[in-house]
Amino acid sequence: KGITSERDYQVFSGDKKIILASTTWVLFNLGKRKATNIPEEIVSVYKPEKFNVFPRAAKILPYDKNISYEYSYKFQTRFLDLDSNNHVNNITYIDYICTAIYRVLQEHVFISNFNITYKKEITIDVENVEIQLSKSLNEFYFRITSGNTLFALGRVVYYNK
């Protein structure tokens, strides 16, 4: 109930559990262009889960202006990156971030936690975005910007193969 709904997933290959995932969903009123409470008729369709894959993370990451971002990569927004609302699709944000992390590490890694807070929609009018990264031990803090506009920020925890 409320403005968000959480859902956990387990994916199996035969008897082997291969993926654990946790998501938070928001119902968005396109006419008013803002999040809205999830009506009871939608809530009642879904049964409560009997398990939580992960403890719930903080809803919004604090924006630490004191973080020193030592890596920076630019990406061009493309028409193919748009969703049906003419905004860059959420998976594209993740693709930008994972590509930037790969460029820093120069190797494939496993991501154990990916937390992103969306601050503003990226539209096709934004020609380029900059992914800025700050690395410490096995994690990266990131932000996605264009000029002085902050689109998203977050944290990625990874481990080597």
mmCIF file of all heavy atoms in Angstrom, residues 55-77:
data_model
loop_
_atom_site.group_PDB
_atom_site.id
_atom_site.type_symbol
_atom_site.label_atom_id
_atom_site.label_comp_id
_atom_site.label_asym_id
_atom_site.label_seq_id
_atom_site.Cartn_x
_atom_site.Cartn_y
_atom_site.Cartn_z
ATOM 1 N N PRO A 55 17.388 -7.263 2.474
ATOM 2 C CA PRO A 55 16.809 -6.241 3.344
ATOM 3 C C PRO A 55 16.555 -4.997 2.505
ATOM 4 O O PRO A 55 17.272 -4.730 1.551
ATOM 5 C CB PRO A 55 17.892 -5.989 4.392
ATOM 6 C CG PRO A 55 19.074 -6.768 3.993
ATOM 7 C CD PRO A 55 18.729 -7.632 2.829
ATOM 8 N N ARG A 56 15.540 -4.265 2.822
ATOM 9 C CA ARG A 56 15.191 -3.077 2.050
ATOM 10 C C ARG A 56 16.235 -1.983 2.230
ATOM 11 O O ARG A 56 16.645 -1.675 3.350
ATOM 12 C CB ARG A 56 13.816 -2.557 2.456
ATOM 13 C CG ARG A 56 12.723 -3.539 2.157
ATOM 14 C CD ARG A 56 12.576 -3.717 0.669
ATOM 15 N NE ARG A 56 11.633 -4.796 0.399
ATOM 16 C CZ ARG A 56 11.673 -5.549 -0.655
ATOM 17 N NH1 ARG A 56 12.595 -5.379 -1.561
ATOM 18 N NH2 ARG A 56 10.799 -6.495 -0.845
ATOM 19 N N ALA A 57 16.661 -1.419 1.112
ATOM 20 C CA ALA A 57 17.643 -0.336 1.124
ATOM 21 C C ALA A 57 16.949 0.981 1.435
ATOM 22 O O ALA A 57 15.726 1.077 1.370
ATOM 23 C CB ALA A 57 18.326 -0.251 -0.238
ATOM 24 N N ALA A 58 17.739 1.963 1.750
ATOM 25 C CA ALA A 58 17.180 3.303 1.936
ATOM 26 C C ALA A 58 16.499 3.725 0.644
ATOM 27 O O ALA A 58 16.973 3.407 -0.444
ATOM 28 C CB ALA A 58 18.299 4.283 2.287
ATOM 29 N N LYS A 59 15.381 4.398 0.767
ATOM 30 C CA LYS A 59 14.606 4.766 -0.417
ATOM 31 C C LYS A 59 15.362 5.721 -1.330
ATOM 32 O O LYS A 59 15.285 5.634 -2.527
ATOM 33 C CB LYS A 59 13.273 5.386 -0.014
ATOM 34 C CG LYS A 59 12.392 4.445 0.758
ATOM 35 C CD LYS A 59 11.982 3.286 -0.081
ATOM 36 C CE LYS A 59 11.086 2.357 0.703
ATOM 37 N NZ LYS A 59 10.926 1.081 0.143
ATOM 38 N N ILE A 60 16.059 6.675 -0.748
ATOM 39 C CA ILE A 60 16.779 7.649 -1.564
ATOM 40 C C ILE A 60 18.187 7.779 -1.002
ATOM 41 O O ILE A 60 18.382 7.977 0.191
ATOM 42 C CB ILE A 60 16.081 9.019 -1.544
ATOM 43 C CG1 ILE A 60 14.687 8.899 -2.166
ATOM 44 C CG2 ILE A 60 16.903 10.071 -2.256
ATOM 45 C CD1 ILE A 60 13.888 10.168 -2.130
ATOM 46 N N LEU A 61 19.173 7.677 -1.881
ATOM 47 C CA LEU A 61 20.551 7.875 -1.448
ATOM 48 C C LEU A 61 20.802 9.358 -1.222
ATOM 49 O O LEU A 61 20.370 10.182 -2.018
ATOM 50 C CB LEU A 61 21.516 7.384 -2.531
ATOM 51 C CG LEU A 61 21.693 5.891 -2.663
ATOM 52 C CD1 LEU A 61 22.580 5.578 -3.854
ATOM 53 C CD2 LEU A 61 22.296 5.305 -1.415
ATOM 54 N N PRO A 62 21.508 9.687 -0.168
ATOM 55 C CA PRO A 62 21.848 11.101 0.015
ATOM 56 C C PRO A 62 22.852 11.518 -1.058
ATOM 57 O O PRO A 62 23.668 10.726 -1.498
ATOM 58 C CB PRO A 62 22.473 11.134 1.405
ATOM 59 C CG PRO A 62 22.936 9.744 1.652
ATOM 60 C CD PRO A 62 22.033 8.837 0.868
ATOM 61 N N TYR A 63 22.747 12.743 -1.483
ATOM 62 C CA TYR A 63 23.661 13.266 -2.482
ATOM 63 C C TYR A 63 24.799 13.956 -1.768
ATOM 64 O O TYR A 63 24.608 14.995 -1.153
ATOM 65 C CB TYR A 63 22.933 14.222 -3.420
ATOM 66 C CG TYR A 63 23.822 14.825 -4.475
ATOM 67 C CD1 TYR A 63 24.565 14.025 -5.317
ATOM 68 C CD2 TYR A 63 23.909 16.199 -4.620
ATOM 69 C CE1 TYR A 63 25.375 14.571 -6.282
ATOM 70 C CE2 TYR A 63 24.714 16.753 -5.589
ATOM 71 C CZ TYR A 63 25.447 15.930 -6.419
ATOM 72 O OH TYR A 63 26.262 16.481 -7.379
ATOM 73 N N ASP A 64 25.964 13.357 -1.799
ATOM 74 C CA ASP A 64 27.127 13.891 -1.101
ATOM 75 C C ASP A 64 27.933 14.742 -2.074
ATOM 76 O O ASP A 64 28.606 14.220 -2.961
ATOM 77 C CB ASP A 64 27.971 12.744 -0.552
ATOM 78 C CG ASP A 64 29.131 13.228 0.294
ATOM 79 O OD1 ASP A 64 29.413 14.454 0.295
ATOM 80 O OD2 ASP A 64 29.766 12.399 0.944
ATOM 81 N N LYS A 65 27.849 16.046 -1.910
ATOM 82 C CA LYS A 65 28.557 16.965 -2.808
ATOM 83 C C LYS A 65 30.063 16.913 -2.582
ATOM 84 O O LYS A 65 30.817 17.465 -3.368
ATOM 85 C CB LYS A 65 28.035 18.380 -2.622
ATOM 86 C CG LYS A 65 26.604 18.514 -3.077
ATOM 87 C CD LYS A 65 26.100 19.925 -2.957
ATOM 88 C CE LYS A 65 24.666 19.946 -3.433
ATOM 89 N NZ LYS A 65 24.055 21.220 -3.423
ATOM 90 N N ASN A 66 30.501 16.252 -1.509
ATOM 91 C CA ASN A 66 31.932 16.183 -1.210
ATOM 92 C C ASN A 66 32.620 14.988 -1.861
ATOM 93 O O ASN A 66 33.820 14.831 -1.735
ATOM 94 C CB ASN A 66 32.150 16.145 0.297
ATOM 95 C CG ASN A 66 31.683 17.421 0.960
ATOM 96 O OD1 ASN A 66 31.878 18.508 0.431
ATOM 97 N ND2 ASN A 66 31.044 17.296 2.099
ATOM 98 N N ILE A 67 31.849 14.130 -2.546
ATOM 99 C CA ILE A 67 32.474 12.990 -3.221
ATOM 100 C C ILE A 67 33.338 13.505 -4.355
ATOM 101 O O ILE A 67 32.924 14.361 -5.141
ATOM 102 C CB ILE A 67 31.411 12.009 -3.765
ATOM 103 C CG1 ILE A 67 30.706 11.287 -2.622
ATOM 104 C CG2 ILE A 67 32.041 10.980 -4.705
ATOM 105 C CD1 ILE A 67 29.608 10.338 -3.061
ATOM 106 N N SER A 68 34.537 12.987 -4.441
ATOM 107 C CA SER A 68 35.444 13.334 -5.527
ATOM 108 C C SER A 68 35.319 12.260 -6.609
ATOM 109 O O SER A 68 35.683 11.108 -6.392
ATOM 110 C CB SER A 68 36.877 13.395 -4.992
ATOM 111 O OG SER A 68 37.763 13.578 -6.061
ATOM 112 N N TYR A 69 34.773 12.629 -7.740
ATOM 113 C CA TYR A 69 34.590 11.686 -8.846
ATOM 114 C C TYR A 69 35.834 11.710 -9.717
ATOM 115 O O TYR A 69 36.091 12.678 -10.414
ATOM 116 C CB TYR A 69 33.341 12.053 -9.654
ATOM 117 C CG TYR A 69 32.074 11.891 -8.853
ATOM 118 C CD1 TYR A 69 31.511 12.957 -8.176
ATOM 119 C CD2 TYR A 69 31.452 10.654 -8.760
ATOM 120 C CE1 TYR A 69 30.353 12.803 -7.423
ATOM 121 C CE2 TYR A 69 30.294 10.484 -8.009
ATOM 122 C CZ TYR A 69 29.758 11.573 -7.350
ATOM 123 O OH TYR A 69 28.622 11.411 -6.618
ATOM 124 N N GLU A 70 36.604 10.623 -9.653
ATOM 125 C CA GLU A 70 37.889 10.611 -10.348
ATOM 126 C C GLU A 70 37.816 10.071 -11.780
ATOM 127 O O GLU A 70 38.767 10.199 -12.531
ATOM 128 C CB GLU A 70 38.950 9.855 -9.551
ATOM 129 C CG GLU A 70 38.601 8.439 -9.174
ATOM 130 C CD GLU A 70 37.986 8.286 -7.794
ATOM 131 O OE1 GLU A 70 37.503 9.260 -7.216
ATOM 132 O OE2 GLU A 70 37.990 7.155 -7.306
ATOM 133 N N TYR A 71 36.686 9.485 -12.159
ATOM 134 C CA TYR A 71 36.525 8.960 -13.516
ATOM 135 C C TYR A 71 35.304 9.607 -14.163
ATOM 136 O O TYR A 71 34.296 9.842 -13.496
ATOM 137 C CB TYR A 71 36.332 7.440 -13.506
ATOM 138 C CG TYR A 71 37.433 6.698 -12.801
ATOM 139 C CD1 TYR A 71 37.271 6.277 -11.485
ATOM 140 C CD2 TYR A 71 38.632 6.428 -13.447
ATOM 141 C CE1 TYR A 71 38.272 5.597 -10.828
ATOM 142 C CE2 TYR A 71 39.647 5.743 -12.795
ATOM 143 C CZ TYR A 71 39.460 5.333 -11.483
ATOM 144 O OH TYR A 71 40.456 4.662 -10.836
ATOM 145 N N SER A 72 35.405 9.854 -15.463
ATOM 146 C CA SER A 72 34.305 10.493 -16.168
ATOM 147 C C SER A 72 34.237 9.960 -17.603
ATOM 148 O O SER A 72 35.257 9.887 -18.290
ATOM 149 C CB SER A 72 34.524 12.004 -16.184
ATOM 150 O OG SER A 72 33.525 12.628 -16.934
ATOM 151 N N TYR A 73 33.029 9.581 -18.017
ATOM 152 C CA TYR A 73 32.803 9.073 -19.372
ATOM 153 C C TYR A 73 31.549 9.709 -19.942
ATOM 154 O O TYR A 73 30.547 9.842 -19.237
ATOM 155 C CB TYR A 73 32.662 7.548 -19.367
ATOM 156 C CG TYR A 73 33.902 6.863 -18.865
ATOM 157 C CD1 TYR A 73 34.010 6.475 -17.535
ATOM 158 C CD2 TYR A 73 34.983 6.644 -19.706
ATOM 159 C CE1 TYR A 73 35.158 5.870 -17.062
ATOM 160 C CE2 TYR A 73 36.136 6.041 -19.243
ATOM 161 C CZ TYR A 73 36.218 5.655 -17.914
ATOM 162 O OH TYR A 73 37.348 5.067 -17.446
ATOM 163 N N LYS A 74 31.618 10.088 -21.214
ATOM 164 C CA LYS A 74 30.466 10.697 -21.877
ATOM 165 C C LYS A 74 29.779 9.681 -22.775
ATOM 166 O O LYS A 74 30.430 8.853 -23.415
ATOM 167 C CB LYS A 74 30.894 11.914 -22.680
ATOM 168 C CG LYS A 74 31.340 13.040 -21.773
ATOM 169 C CD LYS A 74 31.424 14.350 -22.477
ATOM 170 C CE LYS A 74 31.854 15.359 -21.430
ATOM 171 N NZ LYS A 74 31.681 16.679 -21.761
ATOM 172 N N PHE A 75 28.450 9.769 -22.798
ATOM 173 C CA PHE A 75 27.634 8.908 -23.646
ATOM 174 C C PHE A 75 26.649 9.781 -24.414
ATOM 175 O O PHE A 75 26.084 10.732 -23.856
ATOM 176 C CB PHE A 75 26.865 7.883 -22.802
ATOM 177 C CG PHE A 75 27.753 6.875 -22.144
ATOM 178 C CD1 PHE A 75 28.312 7.136 -20.902
ATOM 179 C CD2 PHE A 75 28.037 5.670 -22.765
ATOM 180 C CE1 PHE A 75 29.139 6.204 -20.288
ATOM 181 C CE2 PHE A 75 28.858 4.741 -22.158
ATOM 182 C CZ PHE A 75 29.412 5.011 -20.918
ATOM 183 N N GLN A 76 26.436 9.438 -25.654
ATOM 184 C CA GLN A 76 25.469 10.157 -26.482
ATOM 185 C C GLN A 76 24.104 9.487 -26.350
ATOM 186 O O GLN A 76 24.004 8.263 -26.413
ATOM 187 C CB GLN A 76 25.918 10.125 -27.940
ATOM 188 C CG GLN A 76 25.018 10.911 -28.854
ATOM 189 C CD GLN A 76 25.556 10.936 -30.286
ATOM 190 O OE1 GLN A 76 26.544 10.300 -30.596
ATOM 191 N NE2 GLN A 76 24.893 11.694 -31.126
ATOM 192 N N THR A 77 23.074 10.283 -26.135
ATOM 193 C CA THR A 77 21.727 9.715 -26.083
ATOM 194 C C THR A 77 21.261 9.445 -27.514
ATOM 195 O O THR A 77 21.569 10.206 -28.432
ATOM 196 C CB THR A 77 20.737 10.661 -25.375
ATOM 197 O OG1 THR A 77 20.766 11.933 -26.019
ATOM 198 C CG2 THR A 77 21.082 10.827 -23.917
#
